[in-house]
Amino acid sequence: MTAPVESIFFGHLAVEAVARLAMPDPVFRVKGCTFAVPQDGQTPTLGGPNTLLRDAITARLEAERAAAKAPAA
């Protein structure tokens, strides 16, 4: 089973493999760091995957807001 963040990155055509690992953080004690391996011949950039991640988070928040506003059945 693929975790949500990895699933989002796999939606980018230039990404071949993704891994999310824990790393120490002085404020939060631990945070996630995502590593992506580009497809052969692709140049890694932050624009594409970051846009996918932002859009997925925005869609999820909008769905949660809509569900919270929906009248109870």
Side-chain angles (χ1 to χ4, degrees):
M1 184 167 146
T2 305
V5 172
E6 288 90 334
S7 296
I8 294 167
F9 280 97
F10 276 125
H12 192 280
L13 298 176
V15 174
E16 181 176 333
V18 178
R20 187 160 170 85
L21 305 171
M23 65 184 280
D25 183 88
V27 175
F28 301 108
R29 292 183 21 187
V30 69
K31 63 182 174 182
C33 185
T34 304
F35 298 87
V37 177
Q39 295 279 359
D40 285 342
Q42 296 292 323
T43 302
T45 65
L46 292 176
N50 279 353
T51 299
L52 283 173
L53 190 57
R54 183 196 66 224
D55 292 349
I57 290 169
T58 301
R60 182 173 177 172
L61 289 173
E62 288 174 356
E64 288 174 0
R65 286 183 189 136
K69 291 180 181 179

